[in-house]
Amino acid sequence: MSTLLIYGATGYTGRMAAERAKGLGLRFEVAGRNQARLAALAAQLDVPFRVFEADADAAGLLDGISVLLNFAGPFALTAEPLMRTCIKAGVDYLDITAEINVYRLAERLGAEAASHHVMLLPGVGWDVVPTDSLAVHVTRRVQEPFALSIALQVPGSMSRGSAMSVSEIIGAGVLARVDGELVATPGATPRHFDFGNGPILCVPLSFGDLVTAWHSTGIPNIAMFVHISGDAFPKGDMSQLPDGPTQEQREAHPARAVVEVIGIDGAASRSVIETVNGYSYTPLAAVEAARRVLNGDRQQGFTTPAKVFGGGFAESIEGTRITDF
C-alpha cells in the first residue's frame, strides 16, 4: 500500500494535518527533527515515526514512502534538500509554502524530477490552492485573457512559521510576471480590491501565485497584492510568537481572495473566494491533496494544484464558496 510521510508533523499546522490524516484512515507516518516530540505524537496517533534532518542525503530514509508532505518552514531552508531527496528516492513531494523562490526552484528541478517519475507540487495549502482554483475559474469567463491580478486578505493573527515565511517572501522583492517573464517591479503601487465589503487597499507582494497562475492559466501578465489587517503581520523577535492562532481566533476570521482577469478587449471579470481561516483550510487541503496523490492523481515534474486536481479542487474543501462579479 502507498504510504504518506508528514514531515514537520509536530509543528502548528503539521500536527493538525497528522490528526486529519488519522481521522481519514490514511496510511501514514510522521517525521521531523525532534525525536521526543515525534515519539509523543506518534504514540498519540498510533503511527510510526522517523527522525531526520531536511537533508539531500536522506533519500535512504524514505524507504517505503510514496508521498512526502512537508510542513517544515521556512521552506527556504527545507524545500530544496527535501525535493532533491524525493527525486533521488522516487517519492512525490508536496508542501504548503507561499514562498515564491520555492516555486521557482521547483520549476528548475521539474525536468530532473520528471526523469525520475517524481512530482513536485508545492503549495497545497492556503495559499495557493484557493487562488489557483479561482484563477482558473475566472480565466474561463474571459475571452482572450491578457492580464491577471490576485489579491489576498490576511485577517487575524499569524503563526510563528508563517511570519518567518513572509519574511522570506518580502526578501524576494516585489516581482510581477510581464509577457511571461518574472521581473522586478520595485515601483509597483498599491491597488484597491473588493473582497465583498467594499474596496480596501492592498500592497504588492510576491507570493507563489506568480508561478502557479502562469502554469495553470497561461496568462502572461500577473500581479499579486495582499491586504494585511489588524495584528496579522507581527514585528520584533518572531521566535517569541505563539505557535499560531487558537481555534476560536481561526473561527472568527474566514479567509478571502480576489482574482481579476482582463481580456485583450479591456473587459474585466472578477470573483471572490471565501474559505474557512487559512490555518484551518491548509491541513484540510494538504491532506486531501496527499490522499488524491496516494490514489494515483499525479503528474511527473513540477505542477500546480489546479493542473493535477482540476480547477474545482479548492471548492472540494468544506466551507468554500466562489462569488462572481
Side-chain angles (χ1 to χ4, degrees), residues 37-203:
R37 293 176 65 186
L38 279 168
L41 178 62
Q44 173 194 330
L45 298 176
D46 191 24
V47 297
F49 69 96
R50 306 183 186 205
V51 182
F52 61 92
E53 296 283 341
D55 191 318
D57 296 326
L61 299 173
L62 297 184
D63 288 347
I65 299 300
S66 304
V67 179
L68 185 148
L69 176 54
N70 180 19
F71 287 90
F75 295 88
L77 302 179
T78 65
E80 181 167 6
L82 288 177
M83 283 184 193
R84 294 189 182 278
T85 290
C86 286
I87 291 171
K88 289 180 182 178
V91 171
D92 289 334
Y93 172 91
L94 285 65
D95 71 30
I96 61 163
T97 190
E99 299 169 29
I100 186 169
N101 285 335
V102 173
Y103 294 84
R104 300 172 80 179
L105 168 68
E107 279 187 308
R108 294 195 299 272
L109 294 178
E112 181 182 356
S115 71
H116 287 75
H117 310 290
V118 166
M119 178 172 67
L120 300 179
L121 181 61
V124 293
W126 213 124
D127 184 58
V128 298
V129 165
T131 46
D132 200 40
S133 290
L134 191 63
V136 171
H137 173 84
V138 183
T139 298
R140 290 172 177 161
R141 301 173 57 208
V142 178
Q143 292 187 350
E144 298 184 278
F146 174 75
L148 183 154
S149 295
I150 301 171
L152 313 177
Q153 188 176 40
V154 182
S157 59
M158 191 175 288
S159 74
R160 180 170 60 246
S162 292
M164 293 177 178
S165 279
V166 168
S167 295
E168 295 289 339
I169 293 168
I170 292 172
V174 179
L175 304 170
R177 193 168 290 277
V178 180
D179 296 331
E181 300 294 331
L182 277 178
V183 299
T185 54
T189 57
R191 274 192 57 189
H192 286 84
F193 289 87
D194 189 345
F195 295 90
N197 295 303
I200 55 176
L201 193 63
C202 301
V203 298

Side-chain angles (χ1 to χ4, degrees), residues 231-256:
D231 60 351
F233 188 68
K235 298 178 181 178
D237 184 358
M238 295 182 188
S239 68
Q240 301 303 309
L241 293 173
D243 285 347
T246 65
Q247 181 176 344
E248 291 75 17
Q249 289 171 327
R250 296 197 307 268
E251 290 175 353
H253 295 287
R256 298 179 181 89

Side-chain angles (χ1 to χ4, degrees), residues 14-26 28 45 283-285 287-288 317-318:
R15 180 179 291 271
M16 288 192 284
E19 292 170 350
R20 176 67 174 175
K22 183 68 177 181
L24 292 177
L26 298 187
F28 75 101
L45 298 176
L284 299 176
V287 172
E288 175 59 16
I317 307 303
E318 187 176 358

